[in-house]
Amino acid sequence: EAKKVKGGASRVFTPGLKTATLDRLRLLEDIRNALYRREFTLLYQPQFSIGTRRLNGFEALARWMHPTRGSVPPDIFIPMLEEHGLIEEFGEWVLETACSEAMRWPDDLGVAINVSPLQVHAVRFSLKLCETLMRTGLRPGRLELEVTETVFLDGKQQTEAVLNNWKALGIRIALDDFGHGYSSLSYLGNFPIDKLKIDRGFLGQFDPSQPQAKAGVILDTIIDLGRKLGMTVTAEGVESAEQLEHLHRHGCTEAQGFLLGRPMSADEVRQIISARVTPPPSNRD
Ligand code: C2E
Ligand code: MG
Ligand code: MG
Ligand code: MG
């Protein structure tokens, strides 16, 4: 990691680990101010129904535009926010920003946001949810909250209560990166989950020319599982037409990935939406 440190002659004399630590400390100082300096932005990645090619909505994905380092990916800064008690405030900003933005879209388009396990267990977030829905006027059915399997690890009862509250508000719940982490399947039957998002890794390992290979079998089984439980099944990280075709044939209902659209700015989303009016994409095939 020390190699990534830019400039700084000290690199030559300082042991790598120490440099990396100092670098993290500097980044931490910066991230404390990033919210106030408005350095965070949300990009939006489109999600489509596979069968009809209909645009269903967008997933909001956070970016940190660091003044000197450029764009810092969320895999780096989300854990930092979590470790240092900043994730709640950040998560509220995400919620607020995404809901306000979605209010500028047609009513049939949804917006999904990623929710950290720490937020799920924070009372403040659930209160903020109600408040934000009321203030923005966003129809709750248009909002989807993406949680990962780790929320089921601790405080099962509490998690169940929180998710049931969200459902009672009319919000939809998606299980992100399904199959990636801790995976007792029992919670699938016990929690109110509307959507399974198959972890990108499964699609990455899948070879369309060998659909009977293990990766293909796992993929198809996850799709079956979600469908039989009455959930929407979304494939993440769809990069090729062959993958999309396979997913379609095996009953996967929704897709998201670079093949169909990259994460884009709010402005780009509005352009796409206004262009959509005539003719809708579904008329092309
Ligand atoms: P995720 O929620 O699973 O988001 C999907 C990730 O896959 C995104 O990475 C997206 O840019 C990427 N992706 C989408 N399509 C493709 C594709 O076809 N190929 C490949 N190779 N990648 C694709 P990103 O934006 O770097 O986000 C990484 C993770 O950071 C997210 O994974 C999510 O867990 C987390 N994250 C992002 N924004 C937020 C946020 O606002 N709050 C929280 N708590 N976490 C966030
Ligand atoms: Mg997600
Ligand atoms: Mg995911
Ligand atoms: Mg992820």
Side-chain angles (χ1 to χ4, degrees):
E1 194 169 337
K3 277 186 212 142
K4 285 188 208 146
V5 180
K6 278 185 200 143
S10 65
R11 181 173 103 195
V12 181
F13 306 104
T14 323
L17 188 64
K18 202 168 174 188
T19 312
T21 308
L22 282 175
D23 193 49
R24 262 187 82 80
L25 279 175
R26 268 182 226 122
L27 207 56
L28 175 62
E29 253 167 58
D30 294 345
I31 209 170
R32 289 190 192 284
N33 299 314
L35 262 176
Y36 305 103
R37 293 186 180 154
R38 299 174 180 277
E39 289 167 5
F40 291 114
T41 50
L42 289 182
L43 298 183
Y44 300 87
Q45 186 176 32
Q47 304 176 317
F48 293 89
S49 276
I50 297 181
T52 58
R53 305 272 170 118
R54 183 184 175 278
L55 175 65
N56 293 334
F58 296 84
E59 176 180 2
L61 294 162
R63 294 291 179 271
W64 179 14
M65 277 300 164
H66 190 281
T68 55
R69 292 164 195 247
S71 180
V72 182
D75 290 328
I76 301 286
F77 71 78
I78 297 288
M80 294 185 75
L81 291 168
E82 288 175 338
E83 273 172 52
H84 296 97
L86 301 164
I87 192 73
E88 282 188 49
E89 201 181 340
F90 171 81
E92 288 174 12
W93 172 82
V94 171
L95 175 69
E96 176 94 40
T97 307
C99 289
S100 309
E101 194 56 41
M103 282 301 284
R104 310 173 74 149
W105 307 342
D107 187 69
D108 64 327
L109 294 178
V111 66
I113 65 170
N114 293 281
V115 177
S116 158
L118 296 176
Q119 291 177 269
V120 176
H121 296 111
V123 177
R124 196 175 132 172
F125 181 70
S126 286
L127 293 175
K128 182 76 183 177
L129 265 179
C130 301
E131 191 213 307
T132 307
L133 287 172
M134 290 203 338
R135 195 159 28 78
T136 59
L138 187 77
R139 186 166 56 78
R142 294 179 62 194
L143 179 62
E144 190 166 85
L145 300 181
E146 296 193 3
V147 298
T148 52
E149 288 164 87
T150 50
V151 300
F152 303 114
L153 273 176
D154 38 39
K156 280 209 177 72
Q157 300 236 305
Q158 202 210 341
T159 302
E160 193 175 353
V162 172
L163 299 193
N164 282 326
N165 279 343
W166 294 356
K167 284 306 295 175
L169 289 172
I171 294 165
R172 285 177 302 149
I173 299 168
L175 192 54
D176 204 358
D177 303 341
F178 178 72
H180 181 75
Y182 160 83
S183 39
S184 148
L185 294 177
S186 61
Y187 61 76
L188 283 182
N190 300 331
F191 292 91
I193 298 159
D194 301 288
K195 179 187 279 192
L196 277 193
K197 295 191 77 177
I198 308 172
D199 188 69
R200 203 168 75 214
F202 293 111
L203 205 57
Q205 289 161 19
F206 168 71
D207 177 356
S209 70
Q210 297 194 315
Q212 296 309 319
K214 281 180 187 170
V217 173
I218 294 173
L219 190 63
D220 299 347
T221 306
I222 295 177
I223 296 171
D224 263 8
L225 178 66
R227 275 171 62 98
K228 285 179 177 152
L229 291 170
M231 299 168 182
T232 302
V233 183
T234 303
E236 297 189 294
V238 180
E239 293 183 353
S240 75
E242 289 76 23
Q243 289 174 338
L244 189 65
E245 170 59 26
H246 178 91
L247 291 163
H248 185 37
R249 258 188 288 117
H250 286 81
C252 183
T253 38
E254 195 179 58
Q256 179 181 350
F258 294 166
L259 174 73
L260 302 159
R262 298 213 165 227
M264 58 189 108
S265 71
D267 282 346
E268 288 172 289
V269 169
R270 281 181 231 149
Q271 282 167 26
I272 284 198
I273 288 172
S274 51
R276 182 180 74 137
V277 179
T278 45
S282 55
N283 286 1
R284 271 191 243 139
D285 47 343

